[in-house]
Structure formats: structure tokens, C-alpha cells
Amino acid sequence: MIKCLKGNILFSETPEKLTVKANSYLVIEDGLVEGIYDNLPEKYKNCEVTDYGDKLIIPGFMDVHIHAPQWLNKGVGYSVELLPWLEKYTFPLESKFKDEDFAKKYYEAFVDELVHSGTTRACIFASRHYEATKLLINIMQKSGIGGYVGKVNMDRNSSPELQETYEDSVNETIMLAEEFSDCNKNNDLVKLILTPRFVPSTTSELMEKLGEIAEKYNLPVQSHLDENLDEVAWVKELHPDIPSFAEVYEHFGLMPKDRTIMAHCIHNNDREIEILKKHNVLIAHCPISNFNLASGIAPIRRYMNEGMDIGLGSDISGGHTMYMPDSCVAAVSASKMYHVAHNEYAPLSFSEAFYLMTKGGGKFFGKVGSFEAGYECDALVIDDTNIPKIDNMTLEERLEKYIYTGSRDNIVKIYCRGNEVK
Ligand code: GUN
Ligand code: FE
């Protein structure tokens, strides 16, 4: 099946510079980008062309770190830091996902907002509840967008209502791995990911078992790392024999190479950075959450210089907005504040932040997040006519202006893997 979208096409091949194809044809074959042309080649003369005129066509947004059951909490609770915030706000809300009706109502609302925000792939933490996690997977499967969903594992240091036992955690995780293993093998849009909440929430025994499950079922892993100084100190107390936080995950086999995401990575030491590089871990940079919870600023320029993989995460509800352009803008702002505060590491450019939001994070889902030939075609059509502009703005400037001052209402069409979602 061949389709073609016509308009002003912008995407990232490298972080440094946006690729811009004015008034061009994006040819999609079986969901993949076949090529971009100034004039439609003869062989495609009969294919269906959707002409978007002067609109912008850009890749779908990639959110590599978000918590679905925290959706109702976005925008509250930011007068405390991570550990009291988890206890006071997060655990009580997540414990409500034991109730399947409650879970269905709010997971539908969550996925609806995700889709309408232009996010075409996301790495999602569910709660620790098995039934509710299956519901979320089903709702995602119906949505038309893709990504990974994981049941959270947490068998220590939680509230009595939310904490699970080691046995339940293992059994339910294995049940999900069995039930959804075909989704991962067949490259379905929605797949399963192992999700130990973070080291303080999971006993050594459970981490060890999850490491075995990751290997046996070839599952990816997502968790949190070096987000907050009190958290880092707590991990040291819990595991005095392991030299660093990152090495706890590594020790228990929870950093499978090329298929691990670690959110935040703010307070990593040099040794941990080498470990992340060794396992080719994707860093989920969540600047809005890091502002709200006063966690710190991740040294993203350093990670880029070191050639590490980085994507952006909204981290709802540490972050208060799931509209990814807000995180893109915040990534630029955070890098500027880092630069001013530390007098090192150049700030990120708009182009670099846009790259992280699209091709950078997209890497975790395969060839996703760009319009180079062979990439899965996740695309957004942006109508920016209601955004006041001076004459003769370049297409790059129009894109930057949309990202900074536009909203989800400017997204008039959404495609995921070549299929229309909205
Ligand atoms: N660390 C452990 N759990 C969480 C969570 O839900 N959100 C954030 N931001 N950090 C965490
Ligand atoms: Fe998080």
C-alpha cells in the first residue's frame, strides 16, 4: 500500500541541523518512508496524494518516560521533593488502580490525551496492578499509537495499600511476559517492558528474579536512576557493598544491552556514565519533572559529547504536561541554566532539542522519529496559520515558533506507522 503526503516537510537526521524539504512529497510504502521528492516520480503517479498545502509535516513526538496512573496528579504536589512526593501524592493515587473501573476510566482519559498531544510512541509505567496494566495495554492497542507498557514492580518501602509481595510481583510479571511475548516478537506497535520502579522499591531478591525474566523473555527494562540526592544516598544505604546506583541495576541484570531506559540521570558519577555507555542505555531526560521536584539539571550536553543515546520524557506527574513540545522547550532552558550555573557545556540549540524529542527517543522503538528512507512513518501535520508571524519566516523559524508558542490544537492530522490515528 503506497500513500503520499504533500507539504513542508521538516525532520532531524543529525542533532545539528534540521532537514527541510519545502513543498515536497513524502512517499510511504507499507508504513515506511520510501522517500521525499520535489516532484512525484512517474511510478507513483497513481498513488493517493493528500495535499496539506502550506502546512508543516513533522515526525510524531516520542515520550520515553511517562507514568499513566499519575495522570490525575499532574499539576499538584510540587512543594516537596521526590521521596516525600512519592509518599504523599503518588502512592495514594496509584493504589486506586486496584479498582478496574477506576483504572479503565482514567487510562482511557490518559491515552486520549496522549494521542491528542501528538505523541506517537511512549514508554509507559503502569501501576503495580496486573489487571489494570492489561487494561492499559488494551487501550493502547486500540489507540493506534505505539510504545511500551510495563507493570511496575515494587515489593519494599512503599505504602501498605500499594506494596506487593515478592511472589505476586514475580508471578504477575511472568504471566504478562507469557501473554504478551508475541507482541514483542512480532514487532506489534504496543509491547511489554519490565519496570522495576527504582532500587529503593525492589528487594535484591526481586531484582535478581526480574533480571532472569528480562533475559529469558528478551524483554527491555525501564527504571529511574540518579534523580534526587536523597534517593542516591538511600540507595547507598540499602546496598553498601555495591559501588554505585547504576551498578545495582547492572549487578542484577537489569541493564540489558541496547534495550534499557533510565530516567533522569542527573547525579551520575563518572563511573556510572561508563556503565551506561557500556550497556548503551537510553537516557530519558525529563527536564520539567526535574524543575517541579527540584531534582537538579541533567548534564545533557556532556552525555551528547560522550555519544550517549538520549530521548525526552514528560514524566507525568513529576512533569505537569504531556505535550512534548513543552519538554523540548524545557530541555533548551535547562541546558542554558546548567551552562550559566556551571560555566561549562554549551546550551542545546532548538535543533538539538527537536532531535532528542523525535529521532533521539525514537531509536528505542526501532527506526522511528525521522523521515529518512526506511523509517516507520510517524507524522504530524501542523497548521500554524493561527500563530502570528512576521513575513518571510523560514520553515525552520515557523517550526520553532510552533514548538514554543503553539499547542496541541495546531496538530490537524496524526499518522503512526503510516496509518491515520486522528
Ligand atoms: N522514582 C520512583 N518512582 C518514581 C515516580 O513515580 N516518578 C519519579 N519521577 N521518580 C520516581
Ligand atoms: Fe518517572
Side-chain angles (χ1 to χ4, degrees), residues 137 332 415:
I137 293 173
V332 175
Y415 297 86

Side-chain angles (χ1 to χ4, degrees), residues 193-236:
I193 185 164
L194 277 190
T195 308
R197 176 164 219 123
F198 69 156
V199 168
S201 288
T202 42
T203 58
S204 296
E205 205 186 2
L206 181 57
M207 286 191 274
E208 184 160 345
K209 189 72 192 172
L210 293 174
E212 288 168 24
I213 295 171
E215 188 177 337
K216 177 168 178 203
Y217 294 92
N218 196 32
L219 288 171
V221 173
Q222 61 182 353
S223 194
H224 297 91
L225 176 65
D226 289 313
E227 177 177 4
N228 166 289
L229 290 172
D230 293 338
E231 170 215 32
V232 174
W234 193 12
V235 171
K236 189 77 225 157

Side-chain angles (χ1 to χ4, degrees), residues 155-167:
D155 70 337
R156 67 172 168 182
N157 296 318
S158 174
S159 65
E161 302 78 49
L162 190 57
Q163 188 161 305
E164 54 184 356
T165 63
Y166 165 86
E167 288 75 22

Side-chain angles (χ1 to χ4, degrees), residues 33-226:
V33 175
E34 192 279 333
I36 297 174
Y37 303 93
D38 294 340
N39 297 296
L40 198 60
E42 196 54 41
K43 61 180 172 177
Y44 299 128
K45 278 280 161 9
N46 293 326
C47 83
E48 168 199 320
V49 177
T50 311
D51 189 346
Y52 288 111
D54 192 40
K55 296 182 178 62
L56 310 178
I57 303 176
I58 63 174
F61 303 136
M62 307 287 134
D63 187 343
V64 295
H65 185 76
I66 184 165
H67 298 259
Q70 296 176 23
W71 184 80
L72 268 182
N73 263 353
K74 66 185 159 74
V76 287
Y78 304 134
S79 53
V80 289
E81 292 191 12
L82 176 67
L83 300 176
W85 172 79
L86 286 172
E87 263 183 46
K88 190 164 174 207
Y89 296 97
T90 309
F91 293 162
L93 177 56
E94 287 195 19
S95 65
K96 293 186 195 292
F97 285 75
K98 183 172 174 221
D99 175 341
E100 286 167 49
D101 292 332
F102 184 91
K104 184 167 185 297
K105 178 171 174 190
Y106 289 106
Y107 279 162
E108 278 174 350
F110 164 83
V111 173
D112 188 62
E113 187 173 344
L114 195 62
V115 169
H116 288 92
S117 298
T119 299
T120 56
R121 314 275 174 138
C123 293
I124 306 174
F125 282 55
S127 66
R128 66 94 164 154
H129 307 93
Y130 167 80
E131 291 297 344
T133 302
K134 285 202 345 181
L135 265 171
L136 177 59
I137 293 173
N138 287 329
I139 296 165
M140 277 295 288
Q141 286 169 331
K142 285 190 201 122
S143 73
I145 62 167
Y148 289 94
V149 179
K151 176 203 125 49
V152 166
N153 300 99
M154 45 191 304
D155 70 337
R156 67 172 168 182
N157 296 318
S158 174
S159 65
E161 302 78 49
L162 190 57
Q163 188 161 305
E164 54 184 356
T165 63
Y166 165 86
E167 288 75 22
D168 285 351
S169 192
V170 169
N171 292 339
E172 292 175 2
T173 302
I174 292 175
M175 283 189 319
L176 288 167
E178 293 282 344
E179 287 168 75
F180 292 97
S181 72
D182 284 350
C183 299
N184 287 46
K185 280 197 202 109
N186 299 341
N187 197 23
D188 282 12
L189 268 174
V190 182
K191 299 183 210 173
L192 190 71
I193 185 164
L194 277 190
T195 308
R197 176 164 219 123
F198 69 156
V199 168
S201 288
T202 42
T203 58
S204 296
E205 205 186 2
L206 181 57
M207 286 191 274
E208 184 160 345
K209 189 72 192 172
L210 293 174
E212 288 168 24
I213 295 171
E215 188 177 337
K216 177 168 178 203
Y217 294 92
N218 196 32
L219 288 171
V221 173
Q222 61 182 353
S223 194
H224 297 91
L225 176 65
D226 289 313

Side-chain angles (χ1 to χ4, degrees), residues 322-386:
M322 53 208 279
Y323 178 58
M324 288 309 289
D326 293 336
S327 290
C328 180
V329 171
V332 175
S333 308
S335 73
K336 289 179 177 170
M337 292 303 104
Y338 190 98
H339 175 72
V340 171
H342 298 271
N343 199 24
E344 61 173 350
Y345 297 127
L348 300 188
S349 65
F350 169 70
S351 161
E352 287 172 320
F354 189 81
Y355 173 94
L356 298 182
M357 176 172 64
T358 54
K359 191 175 176 181
K363 189 171 182 192
F364 202 75
F365 308 99
K367 285 178 100 171
V368 181
S370 180
F371 292 146
E372 290 156 79
Y375 270 68
E376 296 184 26
C377 189
D378 288 18
L380 308 178
V381 181
I382 308 299
D383 181 348
D384 65 345
T385 43
N386 73 340

